[in-house]
Amino acid sequence: MFSFNMFEPHVGRVFQNRFSTQYRCYSVSMLAGPNDRSDVEKGGKIIMPPSALDQLSRLNITYPMLFKLTNKNSDRMTHCGVLEFVADEGICYLPHWMMQNLLLEEGGLVQVESVNLMVATYSKFQPQSPDFLDITNPKAVLENALRNFACLTTGDVIAINYNEKIYELRVMETKPDKAVSIIECDMNVDFDAPLGYKEPERHMQRPEEPTEEETDPSNYEMDIGFRAFTGSGNRLDGKKKGIEPSPAPLDPSDIKRGIPNYDFKIGRITFIRNSRQQPRKIETDDTASNFIAFSGEGQSLRKKDRKP
């Protein structure tokens, strides 16, 4: 009898191509060697032994290599990439912030499994200190720091180093999944209010209640508007003659509202003068009848003798 079930080999092949093993983890400061590996602390990648590279090369692993780290004792997990395969056998080296997320101590066991993650499109971070607001351009600083990371996991607290100071940021949200890859991606970044941040209080100035003297209408000063030439004048000879005092303030009853010009036409300017015409003086008939033009006599300064 022959079996025609063609799906069984594919199901078994999926489990054969999966990398899964346990290592004892240590922080990067425990890594032996003359070289300073502080660059590992600035990113989200780990150092694994050479045997892991040999085993991964035998499997059909997709690149870039991404791994899921799980602490079975605390049921905490995160995701990371791999930086190098130079660790001792049975040991892997993790950044300090990653060990804090997994609640691992030096020499603790961690489960390492290979995974495939979706490419990130959106992520939201919450700074764990208001000091992060002192950075002039936080998005540019975060973009430069994420170049050392391979993936992000919702709920992790990552650490970035800027100006010899470490800033911690919690990953509040990632799209399209809770764990995403950030290698060669176009990701939108957003920030939440820092932990412990308080907005400055705005003191609203309440208007002062007016006193009884201010509310008394008799104390109000009426604004009569602008009045030209209301000042006093001075003579050069010092005399006070001809100097009129300032005009008395207008009575509210004397102020009349202007009448609009209902015949107004666009493009035409009309000047209306409301000056009062003074009555003309009526001359008597005697002075008018006695007036003769050019009836005066002239006189010369030098008298000449006229010949008869």
Side-chain angles (χ1 to χ4, degrees), residues 78-306:
T78 187
H79 297 79
C80 67
V82 59
L83 184 63
E84 293 179 357
F85 296 92
V86 295
D88 297 335
E89 293 300 329
I91 297 176
C92 68
Y93 295 95
L94 279 67
H96 181 66
W97 66 265
M98 193 176 295
M99 294 186 65
Q100 288 182 336
N101 289 333
L102 296 173
L103 301 179
L104 285 171
E105 297 180 355
E106 300 289 344
L109 292 176
V110 62
Q111 184 75 23
V112 182
E113 302 175 6
S114 60
V115 292
N116 296 328
L117 300 178
M118 301 178 66
V119 179
T121 58
Y122 173 81
S123 61
K124 187 176 184 180
F125 298 88
Q126 181 188 31
Q128 299 299 291
S129 173
D131 297 339
F132 189 75
L133 299 177
D134 298 337
I135 301 177
T136 305
N137 193 349
K139 282 192 175 182
V141 173
L142 181 61
E143 180 183 355
N144 187 32
L146 290 180
R147 295 178 181 177
N148 299 322
F149 289 75
C151 49
L152 294 173
T153 306
T154 302
D156 281 359
V157 178
I158 65 174
I160 62 174
N161 191 349
Y162 178 71
N163 280 349
E164 299 181 356
K165 188 174 182 180
I166 297 177
Y167 298 93
E168 293 183 345
L169 296 95
R170 180 178 295 276
V171 184
M172 302 297 294
E173 183 182 359
T174 55
K175 292 181 181 180
D177 202 356
K178 292 185 177 181
V180 292
S181 172
I182 60 173
I183 298 177
E184 296 181 358
C185 69
D186 187 8
M187 180 178 62
N188 296 325
V189 178
D190 194 7
F191 290 97
D192 202 352
L195 191 65
Y197 171 74
K198 294 182 180 180
E199 294 186 359
E201 297 181 357
R202 298 180 180 178
H203 299 282
M204 300 297 294
Q205 295 182 356
R206 298 181 178 179
E208 298 180 358
E209 297 182 357
T211 60
E212 296 181 356
E213 296 180 356
E214 296 177 352
T215 56
D216 188 4
S218 60
N219 297 330
Y220 288 171
E221 295 182 0
M222 187 183 63
D223 186 9
I224 59 176
F226 173 75
R227 299 180 63 188
F229 308 107
T230 56
S232 60
N234 296 321
R235 294 170 59 104
L236 296 177
D237 54 4
K239 296 181 180 180
K240 300 295 182 180
K241 183 179 180 181
I243 300 177
E244 298 181 357
S246 301
L250 294 176
D251 189 20
S253 59
D254 296 339
I255 301 176
K256 297 181 180 180
R257 187 176 179 180
I259 301 175
N261 184 10
Y262 296 103
D263 298 331
F264 173 75
K265 295 181 180 181
I266 299 177
R268 181 179 178 183
I269 301 176
T270 304
F271 297 94
I272 301 175
R273 308 184 188 278
N274 296 327
S275 59
R276 299 178 181 177
Q277 296 182 357
Q278 297 181 357
R280 298 180 179 178
K281 296 181 180 180
I282 301 175
E283 298 178 353
T284 59
D285 296 338
D286 297 338
T287 56
S289 60
N290 296 332
F291 175 74
I292 300 175
F294 305 105
S295 59
E297 295 179 358
Q299 296 180 0
S300 61
L301 298 177
R302 183 177 179 182
K303 295 181 179 181
K304 296 182 179 180
D305 295 335
R306 295 182 180 179

